[in-house]
Amino acid sequence: GLDRVLGGGLVPGSVTLLAGDPGVGKSTLLLEVVHRWAESGRRALYLSGEESAGQIRLRAERTGCTHDEVFLAAESDLQTALGHIEQVKPSLIVVDSVQTMSTTEADGVTGGVTQIRAVTTALTMAAKTTGVAIILVGHVTKDGAIAGPRSLEHLVDVVMHFEGDRSSALRMVRGVKNRFGAADEVGCFLLHDNGIEGVADPSGLFLDQRPQPVSGTSVTVTLDGKRPLIGEVQALIGSASAGNPRRAVSGIDSARAAMITAVLEKRAHLNVGQNDIYLSTVGGMRLTDPSSDLAVALAIASAYADIPMPTTVVAIGEVGLAGDLRRVTGMDRRLAEAARLGFTCAVIPPGVKDVPAGLTVQSADNISGALRVLRNISDNVRDNGGRR
């Protein structure tokens, strides 16, 4: 998964910055990286300014990442760290983290702008002159931005963000900058007590597996970078309440959910505005792509009318304020992913010509037409004896 984001692997002499929230699993991931690096017959050096070598070794033993060619050093002084590099002569160096390193050749406190810039510049120079690959761990601010000067991202060759929710085992590495490959790739991982593992086909994590369809669910295909991912939207309509109806969303942009609700009420004449509406995604997935608008609308309509949407149908399209459906980018990749995972029907905006084998396309110009398509598909399933 990390090779995918890097564009094939680490380039000799490159400097990679991996940033993420505290406790998301950056150190666990990089211990797995240096372990696999050592297993391939190369030497790695893990420099930590946050933990002792004994603490790192305990984690490495727990996750099964110990190897004779992995060298550990608890060091926060840059000059001493450069001495370790010269002595060990590794081909991969992990610095955890760049904010904890300091140098006497620059003013300021450890973790300050001046110190971070000086440390990164020195490590980058070492990487370019010796040909060793360096991975820097970076802290993030409360807003999610990389801590330190903005020039830090300009100095390095690759910038990656490590994301994940503490309540979920799913972790994602997202490429932000890559001088050696595509900068919009995504790698998926699962974090366990005994380590971290890559997920080659993560679409199944975002689907709620059930034998029979139920009302209030809809499936879409989103693009995260270049990777198509299947996501499921679940909706629940509460009883009409006096005053302000409640809107609760999880994994979906609340502003777009409110807009889609208004479009359903105004353009499709569904009286859903006075009801409590609850929207959620499955598996901790975040649907920020406008292509999920149609799936959200169909999930709300399915819950309101209590009409189950067949489990072999996907909905892809952006919903406009006029109720029209608009095509989205990468439709060919989205439909190919849906066909690969066994979906047989796709509700999409008109104008798509290339359709994968085994997939039937139902086009709709507007949201009212999409709701009619949903009702027709459900009626056909019921007439065929419940076959999905």
Side-chain angles (χ1 to χ4, degrees), residues 14 41 106 111 171 188 201 347 355:
S14 65
R171 298 292 185 267
C188 296
D201 192 4
V347 182
V355 180

Side-chain angles (χ1 to χ4, degrees), residues 130-283:
T130 62
V132 61
I134 297 180
I135 301 178
L136 305 177
V137 176
H139 295 167
V140 296
T141 63
K142 61 181 180 180
D143 298 325
I146 300 175
R150 191 68 179 181
S151 60
L152 177 63
E153 299 177 52
H154 295 285
L155 288 172
V156 300
D157 301 305
V158 182
V159 179
M160 300 183 298
H161 276 275
F162 199 24
E163 305 171 357
D165 190 352
R166 289 180 178 270
S167 61
S168 172
L170 178 67
R171 298 292 185 267
M172 303 185 80
V173 175
R174 194 181 308 275
V176 178
K177 170 189 174 182
N178 193 347
R179 288 174 177 164
F180 313 111
D184 54 358
E185 289 287 359
V186 176
C188 296
F189 303 86
L190 286 178
L191 184 65
H192 303 295
D193 292 338
N194 56 352
I196 192 168
E197 62 174 328
V199 181
D201 192 4
S203 291
L205 300 174
F206 307 123
L207 287 176
D208 188 8
Q209 306 296 333
R210 63 173 65 88
Q212 296 296 330
V214 296
S215 61
T217 63
S218 181
V219 178
T220 188
V221 186
T222 184
L223 278 183
D224 205 334
K226 292 185 178 180
R227 168 175 276 184
L229 296 175
I230 299 290
E232 181 173 332
V233 180
Q234 296 182 336
L236 179 64
I237 303 295
S239 58
S241 57
N244 294 325
R246 185 176 182 185
R247 303 285 187 265
V249 297
S250 176
I252 301 171
D253 183 53
S254 57
R256 296 199 71 86
M259 181 201 75
I260 294 170
T261 303
V263 171
L264 284 172
E265 185 161 16
K266 182 68 175 180
R267 306 299 180 184
H269 309 292
L270 292 183
N271 192 20
V272 295
Q274 62 182 356
N275 296 84
D276 296 336
I277 299 179
Y278 303 89
L279 288 169
S280 178
T281 57
V282 173

Side-chain angles (χ1 to χ4, degrees), residues 263-264 266-269 323-325 364-374:
V263 171
L264 284 172
K266 182 68 175 180
R267 306 299 180 184
H269 309 292
D324 56 316
L325 299 185
D365 295 314
N366 49 48
I367 190 65
S368 298
L371 295 181
R372 286 194 296 270
V373 168
L374 171 61

